[in-house]
Amino acid sequence: MKNKTKKPISYGIERALLSDVLPYETPIIFSNRHFYQILVNHKIKFHNNSISWVNCKDNLIIKKLISILFDIENTSSDDTNILSLNNKELRKKPFNYKITHKENDYRDLAIPHPKSQVELVSFYDEFKELIVYYASQSPFSIRRPERIAKFVYTNDNTYKLKKGNEDDLIEESGKEYQSLKTFFVYENYSNIYKFYEDYIYHRAEKKYARMLKFDVSKCFDSIYTHSISWALIDKEFIKNNLKKEEHTFSGKFDKFMQNTNYGETNGIIIGPEFSRIFAELILQQIDKKIEQTLRDKGIIHKVDYEIYRYVDDFFVFYNKEETREQILDNYKILLKEYKMSLNDSKTKLYEKPLITEITIAKNKIVNLLKEDIKFKIRKEEDKEDKEIPIGQRDNEEYVPEKKIKVSDIDVRCNSNKLITEFKTVIVVSNVTYKDIMNYTLALLKSNLVSNIEKYEKHKRKLEKRKSQGLLTKEEEKKIIKQETNYRKYIVEILDFTFFLYGVSPKVNSTIKLVNILSKIITTFKKKYRFHFEEPRDGKKYLLVHQFDKLNQETVFKKILDEIILVLDKNKVAEHVQIETLYLLIVLRELGKDYRLTCAQLIKYLNLKELRDSEQNSYDPKKYEFKNGINYFVITVLLFYFKNINQYKGLKIVIKNAVLAKVKSIEKRNRTKYAELVLLLFDLIACPYLNDDEKKFKKQLLTCFKVDRTEQNDFIKFVEKQRYWYIKWDNFDLVKELNSKSSLEPY
């Protein structure tokens, strides 16, 4: 009998779309999974600046669809299954959007145009081995593509031992995974904080007296795309042989990055993994030159110093000050050659003991949560003998009955105390909220999940005994009291969690908050099904709610109230729009009793009331957005509104905003814009926009030059695919969150 079983995971080369082209900071209803499936189903490929697909009965419609999806001028009327892009059509405008980064500062992220995405698939297919080769040059890098990710898993003990933790953020060398995380396996560390906790870091602490931390200032914004060729070949050679360089790996990578960013050579788009790879290959060559320059001066790596680079963050361990000066000076000089510079404001020096402020804060937070959140089910025997009746005390053959004993639960949490002590940690450790926000929320979630699992196991066992009539009235009362205390504990946890989040909502912390809320909502909705050995009152089983209605309502009302506070404080603005959108998705999970009112939504969406020429209100009132709204706001709102009648008027506001957005771009350029292309296909597929004769969808198609005679067939084909990027229905929040967690960036 074989102990080992291997099963292939059927991902094609298009798998890069699932891991390497999208930013992490996107709404949870958005993904590339369905786009990936459409490409695979229709065998859509990018090769030699052409898009091809497999012939089928809908070929003319597919051809029209592909010309819009990939922005290709379709001038032929024949039934061919290939369309070629000219030089002008290679450059596409990514969907750029902003997220909160620091106070009064934003980070620009980008989603590549669908054409750029399929071009990446082709590029990876051709050059994946070279990417791995050029990523192996640096002696300093601790986050680099080591090899192409495996797509098989085993069910033996080795698999169980090596199985990657679901919280691992990228694939790590030496571990096996059942699901795709990244296209490449990355050496050593899936998260920078693992480096802090690793033996290598601690060994360097022992070996060296000092550590210097620095990073590259606005790394991705500063990168000049041509510098990939300067790094991998030679700057002077490239300048003298531009035509030859175009056909090399570096030349094609350079051109791809330009085309993805609408022809820009100064700066690369931020968010996709392929951008991090592009930066890594350049920084690899800089590292290599630094190591050689220092060696020529008699400063030896692993003897006089050690450098560890995680993307654009550097950790330099050394003893002598002149060593530090040489390293810093040489990096400044060499980075300047590549149009980059160091971030002086973030350069920090540490002397023994080599411990950072963030590490100090994290240790304090671990202790804080451990000491101030108590949850323990006291382990006692489940059963004990009932008292022997007086008449049976002399009967040696009498076997006493057993009685049930409900174990005590020690559950304590005081949110006010937690908040005060957390503030103290911030001040004493000299860190900011944003430095440890994600870490604290992750730790809180881990603690909560563990406690929920313990409670559910305990409660299920008791409910089963109760359904069998084995509990006394006193024991049933004790269960009710325990449930009430547990609900109070959850409310206190929610209080602390929303305090942490409310200080500075960011997309990453929003996702972690939603993970916590999802776990709580799931447990308070849970039901048990206990089967009877013999039917009772015609029923074969008993359906039991884990929590009674009052406790569920108390918790759900708390979640609703806290979310409303967040939305009131963080209205949709011109530049920041997606930070709180996840919270609408959570509210949808709570059910119809917890819907936002139209007045609350008008306030959150920052809508402006329209008035007639005499400044009187319309009846019913009409509104419009004060600021333009992006693709994510539009799709999340439609997802939340569904076909709910009370939101009918707000849906009209959305439709008007969509048409205004599309028409603001010149008609011949609309399909060049990734945002408009994504919007078109998702709105055509949207089941909540099926008005009379699909009038709105046809209006959209007219904006994209789809002839009226083709519109019905076009809509039918798009709807048949069901989802393009947005998962409109059959949405499972827990499942989507699990999928999201595998894509978290460095």
Side-chain angles (χ1 to χ4, degrees):
M1 185 176 180
K2 292 183 179 180
N3 295 323
K4 196 170 184 178
T5 304
K6 285 193 176 183
K7 295 181 180 179
I9 297 177
S10 55
Y11 287 113
I13 190 62
E14 293 85 0
R15 62 185 178 269
L17 297 176
L18 303 174
S19 59
D20 283 36
V21 301
L22 300 180
Y24 173 70
E25 296 87 348
T26 61
I28 200 165
I29 61 173
F30 171 85
S31 77
N32 252 355
R33 294 200 303 274
H34 312 292
F35 178 53
Y36 161 85
Q37 202 57 58
I38 288 165
L39 294 187
V40 171
N41 290 346
H42 297 285
K43 295 183 172 57
I44 298 171
K45 305 282 186 184
F46 178 91
H47 183 64
N48 290 336
N49 294 342
S50 296
I51 301 283
S52 63
W53 63 95
V54 66
N55 274 314
C56 69
K57 65 177 182 179
D58 299 310
N59 204 54
L60 288 175
I61 290 298
I62 291 181
K63 188 175 182 180
K64 182 64 178 178
L65 180 148
I66 284 175
S67 70
I68 294 174
L69 184 63
F70 300 114
D71 180 39
I72 309 172
E73 186 65 33
N74 178 18
T75 55
S76 65
S77 57
D78 58 10
D79 201 20
T80 183
N81 64 332
I82 187 167
L83 289 173
S84 297
L85 292 90
N86 60 45
N87 288 331
K88 289 183 180 179
E89 291 172 334
L90 291 173
R91 296 177 176 182
K92 305 302 177 192
K93 180 77 173 172
F95 165 34
N96 296 299
Y97 61 100
K98 297 179 186 296
I99 62 168
T100 304
H101 179 44
K102 300 174 185 174
E103 191 174 355
N104 300 319
D105 191 16
Y106 310 109
R107 172 174 285 166
D108 290 288
L109 298 179
I111 292 176
H113 192 283
K115 172 262 163 186
S116 300
Q117 295 187 31
V118 295
E119 185 177 358
L120 177 80
V121 170
S122 175
F123 182 81
Y124 268 20
D125 194 25
E126 184 177 1
F127 293 116
K128 53 186 179 291
E129 288 85 5
L130 268 179
I131 288 173
V132 171
Y133 168 74
Y134 281 118
S136 65
Q137 307 293 302
S138 169
F140 307 151
S141 178
I142 57 174
R143 188 195 186 273
R144 65 177 180 84
E146 186 188 42
R147 55 186 167 81
I148 298 157
K150 290 182 179 179
F151 299 98
V152 297
Y153 67 92
T154 59
N155 294 324
D156 63 358
N157 290 331
T158 303
Y159 168 70
K160 290 176 182 176
L161 289 172
K162 286 191 169 186
K163 181 182 177 184
N165 189 315
E166 287 301 319
D167 291 330
D168 289 348
L169 308 185
I170 61 173
E171 297 215 16
E172 291 182 40
S173 179
K175 293 187 178 181
E176 295 184 37
Y177 287 77
Q178 280 183 290
S179 61
L180 176 66
K181 310 266 184 188
T182 40
F183 188 88
F184 297 98
V185 173
Y186 286 74
E187 186 176 35
N188 297 332
Y189 306 103
S190 61
N191 186 291
I192 194 169
Y193 298 114
K194 291 188 177 183
F195 171 60
Y196 288 124
E197 299 163 3
D198 195 72
Y199 166 76
I200 291 176
Y201 182 87
H202 296 311
R203 182 181 57 76
E205 282 183 310
K206 295 174 186 176
K207 187 175 176 181
Y208 301 96
R210 299 177 177 90
M211 180 183 76
L212 180 72
K213 272 183 65 180
F214 62 86
D215 66 16
V216 178
S217 178
K218 297 186 179 297
C219 180
F220 289 14
D221 291 317
S222 304
I223 288 177
Y224 189 52
T225 63
H226 295 332
S227 60
I228 187 76
S229 296
W230 303 348
L232 301 186
I233 304 175
D234 177 77
K235 191 171 184 178
E236 287 303 314
F237 178 84
I238 294 303
K239 285 181 175 291
N240 294 324
N241 297 274
L242 291 176
K243 288 293 182 183
K244 291 181 181 178
E245 188 267 342
E246 290 177 0
H247 304 290
T248 65
F249 161 69
S250 59
K252 288 185 177 181
F253 208 169
D254 172 11
K255 201 66 181 174
F256 167 73
M257 297 302 287
Q258 288 181 49
N259 290 339
T260 300
N261 200 19
Y262 212 34
E264 289 289 335
T265 58
N266 187 22
I268 60 175
I269 65 172
I270 303 172
E273 179 61 30
F274 67 72
S275 288
R276 288 190 277 275
I277 290 173
F278 188 83
E280 176 65 25
L281 299 192
I282 295 169
L283 291 170
Q284 285 258 336
Q285 298 303 315
I286 294 174
D287 291 344
K288 187 178 175 182
K289 290 176 183 177
I290 291 287
E291 196 269 343
Q292 185 59 53
T293 301
L294 294 173
R295 179 178 290 276
D296 292 343
K297 294 179 179 181
I299 303 172
I300 310 303
H301 183 227
K302 298 285 187 182
V303 176
D304 301 300
Y305 72 97
E306 288 179 26
I307 296 177
Y308 298 96
R309 178 179 55 75
Y310 191 93
V311 191
D312 61 342
D313 288 314
F314 292 79
F315 303 83
V316 181
F317 293 88
Y318 64 97
N319 288 316
K320 297 178 181 179
E321 278 303 305
E322 52 264 40
T323 302
R324 176 186 66 83
E325 290 171 5
Q326 285 288 341
I327 291 171
L328 210 52
D329 288 347
N330 277 283
Y331 264 113
K332 285 179 179 178
I333 292 167
L334 204 49
L335 284 168
K336 191 173 182 180
E337 289 184 22
Y338 290 88
K339 301 185 181 294
M340 292 185 279
S341 61
L342 296 184
N343 187 347
D344 291 332
S345 66
K346 291 181 70 175
T347 300
K348 286 189 177 183
L349 174 64
Y350 298 90
E351 298 197 16
K352 281 192 173 179
L354 301 179
I355 186 167
T356 66
E357 299 88 344
I358 293 176
T359 302
I360 294 169
K362 286 182 176 180
N363 288 335
K364 288 182 179 296
I365 288 165
V366 169
N367 292 330
L368 171 63
L369 297 187
K370 187 176 180 181
E371 292 169 6
D372 285 21
I373 298 178
K374 297 291 183 185
F375 188 92
K376 185 177 181 181
I377 298 175
R378 295 189 183 131
K379 293 183 179 179
E380 300 178 33
E381 292 297 324
D382 290 329
K383 298 182 180 182
E384 63 179 23
D385 292 344
K386 284 186 177 181
E387 188 177 347
I388 299 174
I390 296 174
Q392 298 291 342
R393 289 178 181 175
D394 296 327
N395 183 356
E396 295 181 0
E397 295 182 359
Y398 177 78
V399 178
E401 294 181 22
K402 300 286 183 180
K403 70 176 181 180
I404 304 296
K405 186 171 183 179
V406 177
S407 300
D408 291 328
I409 297 180
D410 181 13
V411 52
R412 282 175 285 152
C413 178
N414 185 320
S415 62
N416 289 329
K417 186 182 177 189
L418 274 173
I419 290 168
T420 301
E421 294 189 9
F422 183 82
K423 290 176 182 176
T424 304
V425 170
I426 297 288
V427 174
V428 171
S429 305
N430 194 28
V431 296
T432 64
Y433 279 100
K434 77 175 186 63
D435 290 332
I436 54 172
M437 173 77 71
N438 284 341
Y439 178 81
T440 307
L441 288 172
L443 205 62
L444 198 60
K445 180 205 166 190
S446 177
N447 181 297
L448 179 68
V449 168
S450 174
N451 292 343
I452 283 176
E453 288 174 354
K454 290 176 189 174
Y455 181 79
E456 287 185 348
K457 184 178 179 181
H458 168 77
K459 186 78 186 296
R460 184 183 182 89
K461 184 168 62 175
L462 294 179
E463 289 290 356
K464 185 173 183 179
R465 290 172 178 172
K466 181 180 175 182
S467 73
Q468 295 168 339
L470 297 175
L471 298 185
T472 65
K473 292 294 182 184
E474 289 74 18
E475 288 167 338
E476 289 184 9
K477 287 179 182 178
K478 189 172 182 179
I479 295 174
I480 293 171
K481 187 176 180 180
Q482 285 181 354
E483 184 181 314
T484 301
N485 288 338
Y486 184 80
R487 180 256 296 164
K488 290 177 181 177
Y489 154 76
I490 291 294
V491 169
E492 294 290 322
I493 290 291
L494 285 169
D495 224 27
F496 180 55
T497 302
F498 274 99
F499 159 76
L500 291 174
Y501 173 74
V503 173
S504 179
K506 292 182 174 61
V507 179
N508 277 12
S509 54
T510 303
I511 294 170
K512 285 181 168 57
L513 169 69
V514 170
N515 264 289
I516 291 171
L517 298 181
S518 169
K519 190 66 183 176
I520 291 172
I521 292 168
T522 301
T523 193
F524 273 82
K525 280 185 172 182
K526 186 165 284 187
K527 301 174 185 177
Y528 304 128
R529 181 180 288 181
F530 298 120
H531 291 270
F532 301 132
E533 291 184 7
E534 295 182 5
R536 296 182 190 175
D537 300 326
K539 296 180 180 178
K540 295 182 179 180
Y541 62 84
L542 178 67
L543 194 63
V544 178
H545 291 263
Q546 182 163 260
F547 290 91
D548 70 25
K549 191 73 173 171
L550 178 61
N551 285 325
Q552 185 195 81
E553 287 176 353
T554 303
V555 169
F556 286 6
K557 182 67 165 56
K558 174 69 174 175
I559 292 172
L560 173 64
D561 290 345
E562 292 289 351
I563 287 178
I564 289 172
L565 281 175
V566 172
L567 298 184
D568 281 348
K569 186 181 174 184
N570 300 277
K571 300 179 180 66
V572 169
E574 182 179 359
H575 299 302
V576 184
Q577 300 188 340
I578 76 165
E579 274 70 5
T580 53
L581 289 179
Y582 270 74
L583 301 181
L584 294 183
I585 297 168
V586 170
L587 288 180
R588 201 176 102 150
E589 291 293 301
L590 292 179
K592 64 180 182 179
D593 295 331
Y594 303 92
R595 288 173 185 161
L596 294 174
T597 65
C598 285
Q600 288 167 332
L601 281 163
I602 288 166
K603 186 178 179 182
Y604 167 58
L605 297 174
N606 212 10
L607 298 182
K608 177 176 69 175
E609 184 185 349
L610 298 177
R611 296 174 181 269
D612 63 22
S613 57
E614 297 179 356
Q615 295 303 304
N616 295 317
S617 296
Y618 288 98
D619 185 23
K621 291 183 178 181
K622 295 180 181 180
Y623 296 90
E624 69 177 8
F625 286 92
K626 290 181 182 177
N627 305 305
I629 52 173
N630 69 27
Y631 161 75
F632 287 144
V633 177
I634 292 164
T635 50
V636 171
L637 287 177
L638 288 173
F639 176 83
Y640 182 72
F641 293 163
K642 298 194 287 186
N643 284 323
I644 298 167
N645 196 52
Q646 75 182 81
Y647 300 139
K648 200 171 181 180
L650 290 177
K651 201 186 284 188
I652 292 171
V653 178
I654 295 289
K655 290 179 182 179
N656 292 338
V658 168
L659 292 174
K661 185 179 191 68
V662 173
K663 290 175 181 179
S664 69
I665 303 298
E666 201 174 343
K667 198 167 190 176
R668 62 190 176 88
N669 289 329
R670 286 170 190 165
T671 53
K672 292 186 184 302
Y673 283 69
E675 182 180 14
L676 297 190
V677 173
L678 299 179
L679 193 59
L680 172 68
F681 282 89
D682 274 325
L683 295 192
I684 298 299
C686 179
Y688 312 128
L689 292 174
N690 291 330
D691 48 14
D692 293 342
E693 297 183 348
K694 303 189 177 179
K695 180 182 175 182
F696 176 73
K697 292 183 178 181
K698 291 177 180 178
Q699 281 181 290
L700 268 181
L701 289 176
T702 299
C703 291
F704 285 86
K705 299 188 289 187
V706 178
D707 191 89
R708 292 188 179 186
T709 59
E710 300 174 306
Q711 288 179 358
N712 283 329
D713 288 338
F714 195 101
I715 292 170
K716 185 178 178 181
F717 184 88
V718 171
E719 288 180 340
K720 186 180 177 183
Q721 312 307 309
R722 195 162 187 182
Y723 311 118
W724 284 76
Y725 300 94
I726 299 296
K727 187 80 158 58
W728 290 113
D729 50 24
N730 295 315
F731 181 78
D732 185 326
L733 180 58
V734 174
K735 184 177 177 182
E736 295 298 331
L737 283 169
N738 288 338
S739 176
K740 189 77 171 176
S741 68
S742 71
L743 300 173
E744 190 166 358
Y746 68 98

